[in-house]
Amino acid sequence: MTGDVIEGAAGEGRKLGSRAPGFIKASRALHLSWQVGVFVVGLAVVVAGIIMLPLPGPGWLVIFGGMAIWATEFVWAQLVLHWTRRKVTEAAQRALDPKVRRRNIILTVIGLVIVAVLVGIYVWKFGITMPWKIDE
């Protein structure tokens, strides 16, 4: 499968497979060691991204960075990144569609009006007490 080519949205054709330097590919043991090292580094980055998902930090960005590290050596990661890039591009195109944008703006305005009404009802019913005036 290393001879397969991915055609990107911009028309760039890239061969699938390892991007290791030639002298590393020449030795089977060295190439295997290289791949293990790339896998371990990619795994560490992906795990860090997974940890960042519930914590503050750019979790998804770090996960995709780990996938990009894996994609330097592994065809499956190259295919996953290509699929993800295609889906993100399609989603961006759909989001820029005038009908979708208009719908999203309308839904956002309706949501904000509902929140404003609920906050108004709460303030009317319970009032506002400033934190420095709370008596314990």
Side-chain angles (χ1 to χ4, degrees):
M1 186 160 198
T2 57
D4 292 345
V5 174
I6 292 179
E7 289 297 329
E12 79 271 1
R14 285 186 282 165
K15 286 193 172 207
L16 297 176
S18 176
R19 295 193 179 108
F23 72 93
I24 290 176
K25 289 182 188 177
S27 169
R28 174 89 173 127
L30 191 56
H31 192 228
L32 187 60
S33 301
W34 177 268
Q35 285 185 325
V36 168
V38 167
F39 182 79
V40 169
V41 170
L43 182 64
V45 173
V46 168
V47 167
I50 291 170
I51 291 170
M52 285 184 203
L53 286 176
L55 299 174
W60 284 110
L61 187 65
V62 173
I63 289 172
F64 289 128
M67 290 294 297
I69 291 170
W70 280 339
T72 63
E73 283 302 307
F74 304 108
V75 173
W76 60 268
Q78 292 170 5
L79 294 173
V80 168
L81 277 180
H82 177 68
W83 178 83
T84 304
R85 187 177 299 129
R86 190 177 72 239
K87 291 297 181 183
V88 166
T89 303
E90 290 171 4
Q93 292 299 325
R94 281 194 310 267
L96 294 175
D97 179 28
K99 291 179 185 176
V100 174
R101 287 185 67 203
R102 188 175 18 247
R103 183 198 66 203
N104 289 345
I105 290 171
I106 290 170
L107 289 174
T108 301
V109 168
I110 290 172
L112 289 173
V113 167
I114 290 171
V115 168
V117 167
L118 291 174
V119 167
I121 291 171
Y122 179 85
V123 169
W124 174 67
K125 193 148 181 113
F126 299 106
I128 296 177
T129 304
M130 294 296 157
W132 52 86
K133 291 187 178 183
I134 295 178
D135 294 327
E136 293 188 67

